[in-house]
């Protein structure tokens, strides 16, 4: 049976690492960060920022080893858009 648990703040680094590894070969991320060395360095910051954007009522779940991760946003919980002309520093 597959066990799922709510992640705690102490799990953040492992969650970020799991997400960065899982999406390393994703076509969108490969396009945004075409150099594999740059992508390997950038994706942890990318996913760390994603976790910062989880709105109230959202959460992160994972298996006990944190090798699978789900980031949940509640309905209507879309984070605010950045002001016009501003993008995160990692892009």
């Amino acid at each position: 049976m597959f066990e799922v648990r709510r992640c705690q703040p102490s799990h953040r680094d492992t969650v970020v690492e799991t997400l960065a590894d899982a999406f390393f070969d994703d076509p969108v991320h490969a396009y945004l960060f075409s150099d594999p060395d740059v992508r390997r360095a950038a994706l942890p910051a990318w996913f760390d920022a994603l976790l910062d954007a989880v709105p109230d009522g959202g959460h992160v779940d994972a298996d006990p080893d944190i090798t699978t991760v789900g980031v949940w946003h509640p309905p209507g919980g879309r984070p605010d858009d950045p002001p016009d002309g501003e993008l995160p520093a990692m892009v």
Side-chain angles (χ1 to χ4, degrees):
M1 184 163 100
F2 190 76
E3 182 182 344
V4 176
R5 66 178 181 176
R6 184 74 41 98
C7 290
Q8 302 302 314
S10 62
H11 300 131
R12 186 178 183 114
D13 289 344
T14 306
V15 167
V16 166
E17 180 181 332
T18 297
L19 290 168
D21 288 345
F23 286 92
F24 183 79
D25 291 320
D26 177 76
V28 172
H29 294 111
Y31 175 79
L32 293 172
F33 309 106
S34 58
D35 182 315
D37 293 332
V38 171
R39 188 171 35 206
R40 179 74 58 205
L43 284 180
W46 183 269
F47 286 106
D48 197 51
L50 174 100
L51 294 180
D52 284 340
V54 174
D56 290 340
H59 61 274
V60 178
D61 290 335
D63 69 314
D65 296 326
I66 311 179
T67 57
T68 58
V69 174
V71 180
W72 304 99
H73 289 229
R78 184 171 175 257
D80 293 335
D81 290 329
D84 287 340
E86 290 186 27
L87 291 175
M90 79 249 355
V91 175

